Amino acid sequence: MDKPNRIIIIGGVACGPKAAARARRRDPNAEIILVDRGEYLSYAGCGLPYYVGGSVAEIENLQKTSFNLIRDADYFKNVKNIDARIRTNAEQLDREAKSIVLRNLDTGETEQVQYDKLVLATGSSSVVPPISGIDKNGVFVLQNMHDALEIRKRIDAGEVDHVVVIGAGLIGIEIVESFFNHAVDVVVVEKEKQILPSILDAEIAQYVQKELSRDGVEFVTDQTVLAIEGKGKVEKVIVKGREIATDMVIVSAGVRPNTKLARQAGLDIGKTGAIWVNEYLQTSDPDIYAGGDCVECQDLVSGDKIFTPMGTIANRHGRIIGNNVTGDNEAFPGIVGTVIVKALNVNIAKTGLTEDSARKKGMDVETSITPCQNHVHFYPGNKFFLIKMTADRESGRFLGAQLVGPGDIDKRVDVLATAIQFGATLQQTANLDLCYSPPFSHALDGLAHAANNTRNRIDKSAAAISAQQILECIEKSENPPILLDLREEKEAENNPITIGNVINIPLSELRKRINELPRDIDIVCCCTQGVRSYEAMLLLKGEGLDNISFIDGGLKMLY
């Protein structure tokens, strides 16, 4: 009888348990050892902010299956026949001998274990900036279950009224809602000039920041934390020209891949600093696989290698690794970088390339910002969202999208991610056969409007100007443009445009009042969502006025 295949998996949170479970389904006789240095296995790390915020009542729920069993070591042994070892560290990897030294962190005992196939699912660790006082009591990262438990414990004890979040990336923005649920004031400090700098273009980030600021979140951008001070525990955070009183600091300055074991073993490291793997998720040693937050991935849009630590990717990696360590040869195609996050009343999503990232790669792109609605205006509960699309100007290939607002964007970003992954053009995206019913959507969904809007930019039938360009023209130009407010009189009175030279002529009256407009000054058409502005631009151009444009994204982008 052949010796059973021995598979050792290092890392027990996302990719590792998925690989172990998949390998067991494919090979009932394999010997599978799952190792993790922590005491919690296979938990939903992405759910930690929701435990802190109270949406998840018990932290054990993050470790439970859908049929209410906790995925602990006993579960893996009894249900999966997997030898799961917690509080165990992988100390040394000998590739020639195909062995790894494991150390029990509680007893200190070590064991050298042979493997046939090895899987590195070592994840990532939070970046902790070298700030004076960063080690004070009350400074946390939200890296694991222990962190979440201690943060929630202090909130429940009434010890936290004010918190400073260092870093306005995905986790930094997401954790804001967790504290707001407990009536804790939040100040977010970000070293870049905008929030979510790796996810959103500047004007979309500005819209999100304005909406969150209206809800009471304070942002300090383009600033670094100089020091954290306090006697015995955190009391204040120092930035340039200001001291911010606080009871707690959350460090959300990004993560870096855990590559120590791979580096010590001489495995190839990619240009991103994460472990290099081929399309089959093999490292430079064909008997060692790697996946999840410790590896780099292929960007299907740009073709570049990128480091994108996401739970979705880790689970997809785990399944493919589980297949391949049990005799399959399945390839992982790559990613398009799809993310989504909820922050108070704003949903935020992105897929593919932003305009900024595309231009930095030397791409010639066209963009548009399209205000959209959840569903038809006559059905109750309608909500607003924006779509910014980016496309290749020459080919019309759809490259990326950002969606923000209180409206439903999850299904839409998934549709757009699918379109990008299969190389769709704007025209193909506009012609997708999507569902329609008044409670759910429009007869022509916002996705189609956004794609067509971008096509109009490429063929020059729509002349849009960004809110930033308008503000600069008003401030610096000797002949600033006229802002033609096309809203009805009551709309304009209730929410007036407070900058520049404004003329209010409702779209319904424009044809008969066109002579009130000067022909020697640039005119920027304005309305709430841009629909009337576009109509007005076409009308005025048809009447021989050439100096006409409209605000990209409507008035919500202006103020």
Side-chain angles (χ1 to χ4, degrees):
M1 183 176 178
D2 293 338
K3 185 184 84 166
N5 183 24
R6 176 180 282 173
I7 304 163
I8 299 179
I9 300 170
I10 310 299
V13 177
C15 179
K18 186 68 174 180
R22 181 61 180 168
R24 169 59 69 229
R25 293 186 187 109
R26 285 179 47 85
D27 186 348
N29 298 313
E31 182 183 356
I32 302 173
I33 301 173
L34 177 64
V35 176
D36 194 88
R37 67 192 322 275
E39 63 179 277
Y40 298 105
L41 292 169
S42 192
Y43 62 87
C46 295
L48 294 175
Y50 301 102
Y51 169 72
V52 171
S55 298
V56 176
E58 303 293 337
I59 201 163
E60 290 81 7
N61 293 342
L62 301 179
Q63 210 180 355
K64 285 182 178 179
T65 66
S66 60
F67 43 90
N68 219 35
L69 291 180
I70 293 179
R71 293 186 295 265
D72 55 14
D74 288 340
Y75 167 83
F76 278 96
K77 182 64 177 176
N78 297 331
V79 177
K80 306 286 188 182
N81 191 25
I82 292 170
D83 180 6
R85 306 183 186 184
I86 60 173
R87 299 282 299 153
T88 301
N89 194 49
E91 299 277 306
Q92 186 177 350
L93 170 58
D94 185 336
R95 290 166 52 196
E96 186 174 345
K98 297 186 71 172
S99 69
I100 191 162
V101 175
L102 303 178
R103 180 167 66 92
N104 185 297
L105 295 176
D106 294 322
T107 66
E109 295 178 354
T110 61
E111 178 185 6
Q112 186 168 352
V113 185
Q114 303 293 128
Y115 65 82
D116 296 301
K117 300 293 181 184
L118 179 68
V119 179
L120 301 181
T122 47
S124 60
S125 296
S126 296
V127 173
V128 180
I131 299 169
S132 173
I134 197 78
D135 57 347
K136 283 190 177 296
N137 182 5
V139 178
F140 295 92
V141 296
L142 188 55
Q143 177 77 26
N144 54 44
M145 303 252 284
H146 285 293
D147 299 327
L149 282 165
E150 184 59 29
I151 293 168
R152 179 66 183 275
K153 176 182 174 183
R154 296 193 183 200
I155 292 172
D156 290 345
E159 299 176 9
V160 185
D161 292 317
H162 305 276
V163 66
V164 171
V165 178
I166 301 177
L170 282 172
I171 298 299
I173 294 298
E174 189 173 46
I175 197 67
V176 165
E177 182 168 327
S178 300
F179 287 103
F180 263 59
N181 287 350
H182 297 286
V184 174
D185 293 332
V186 181
V187 178
V188 181
V189 181
E190 169 56 50
K191 68 177 181 178
E192 301 295 336
K193 293 182 179 180
Q194 66 169 80
I195 66 173
L196 295 166
S198 64
I199 303 299
L200 301 179
D201 286 320
E203 74 275 32
I204 305 299
Q206 184 63 30
Y207 165 80
V208 173
Q209 183 173 330
K210 285 188 295 186
E211 293 301 306
L212 294 179
S213 296
R214 288 188 180 109
D215 285 331
V217 185
E218 183 180 353
F219 292 94
V220 179
T221 55
D222 201 17
Q223 289 267 20
T224 56
V225 173
L226 303 177
I228 299 171
E229 297 182 354
K231 296 179 181 179
K233 67 180 184 65
V234 168
E235 294 176 1
K236 56 187 174 181
V237 168
I238 311 299
V239 298
K240 186 177 179 180
R242 182 181 174 191
E243 296 181 354
I244 307 171
T246 190
D247 307 303
M248 181 180 286
V249 173
I250 303 295
V251 179
S252 178
V255 299
R256 61 170 60 96
N258 293 329
T259 60
K260 181 179 178 181
L261 190 64
R263 289 178 185 272
Q264 288 177 344
L267 297 175
D268 288 351
I269 304 298
K271 67 176 184 177
T272 66
I275 300 170
W276 176 91
V277 289
N278 65 14
E279 62 185 325
Y280 305 107
L281 300 177
Q282 289 172 301
T283 67
S284 50
D285 184 323
D287 288 322
I288 301 177
Y289 292 74
D293 290 5
C294 62
V295 307
E296 61 183 19
C297 293
Q298 182 87 10
D299 185 329
L300 294 174
V301 187
S302 68
D304 296 338
K305 291 286 190 176
I306 58 174
F307 174 59
T308 307
M310 298 293 294
T312 51
I313 298 169
N315 277 276
R316 290 159 60 199
H317 281 176
R319 178 183 170 87
I320 289 174
I321 289 172
N323 288 342
N324 291 347
V325 295
T326 53
D328 205 347
N329 200 35
E330 182 177 347
F332 179 74
I335 64 172
V336 296
T338 306
V339 298
I340 190 167
V341 63
K342 180 181 183 294
L344 299 176
N345 295 312
V346 183
N347 302 316
I348 306 158
K350 168 257 179 188
T351 188
L353 301 181
T354 63
E355 177 186 5
D356 183 59
S357 62
R359 292 195 187 280
K360 285 179 178 178
K361 297 177 189 301
M363 297 181 177
D364 182 20
V365 298
E366 187 59 79
T367 68
S368 71
I369 299 175
T370 307
C372 305
Q373 300 288 334
N374 264 7
H375 50 249
V376 293
H377 63 279
F378 56 78
Y379 190 86
N382 199 14
K383 291 184 179 180
F384 168 86
F385 63 95
L386 287 168
I387 301 178
K388 178 174 181 180
M389 276 195 173
T390 300
D392 181 79
R393 183 176 279 120
E394 182 177 354
S395 67
R397 181 189 173 200
F398 172 40
L399 300 176
Q402 299 152 68
L403 298 87
V404 297
D408 295 333
I409 61 173
D410 52 341
K411 80 162 187 175
R412 292 175 170 96
V413 75
D414 285 340
V415 168
L416 294 175
T418 304
I420 292 174
Q421 183 145 348
F422 289 103
T425 64
L426 290 171
Q427 183 176 3
Q428 290 168 329
T429 303
N431 287 322
L432 289 171
D433 186 13
L434 304 179
C435 66
Y436 164 61
S437 177
F440 299 104
S441 60
H442 285 264
L444 198 61
D445 192 79
L447 303 187
H449 285 301
N452 286 328
N453 193 5
T454 316
R455 293 170 69 193
N456 290 342
R457 309 298 172 84
I458 291 175
D459 65 22
K460 308 296 185 185
S461 63
I465 183 170
S466 72
Q468 184 60 39
Q469 288 173 311
I470 293 170
L471 294 173
E472 290 175 358
C473 286
I474 291 172
E475 182 179 345
K476 300 176 181 178
S477 175
E478 293 182 3
N479 296 300
I482 289 174
L483 302 182
L484 176 57
D485 187 348
L486 294 148
R487 296 173 297 171
E488 295 301 310
E489 187 175 340
K490 286 292 184 183
E491 287 182 86
E493 288 177 359
N494 291 336
N495 191 17
I497 299 173
T498 57
I499 59 171
N501 183 11
V502 182
I503 297 176
N504 177 222
I505 303 178
L507 179 62
S508 59
E509 301 176 16
L510 186 58
R511 288 187 184 274
K512 61 185 178 184
R513 296 176 60 184
I514 196 168
N515 291 332
E516 297 178 25
L517 297 174
R519 292 179 176 262
D520 58 346
I521 300 177
D522 290 346
I523 297 174
V524 179
C525 299
C526 309
C527 69
T528 304
Q529 296 189 38
V531 177
R532 286 171 285 186
S533 298
Y534 178 61
E535 291 283 352
M537 182 205 69
L538 295 177
L539 187 160
L540 295 175
K541 282 184 174 291
E543 293 293 328
L545 281 76
D546 295 324
N547 53 340
I548 310 298
S549 60
F550 65 95
I551 299 178
D552 200 12
L555 285 173
K556 282 186 176 289
M557 301 303 297
L558 190 59
Y559 60 88

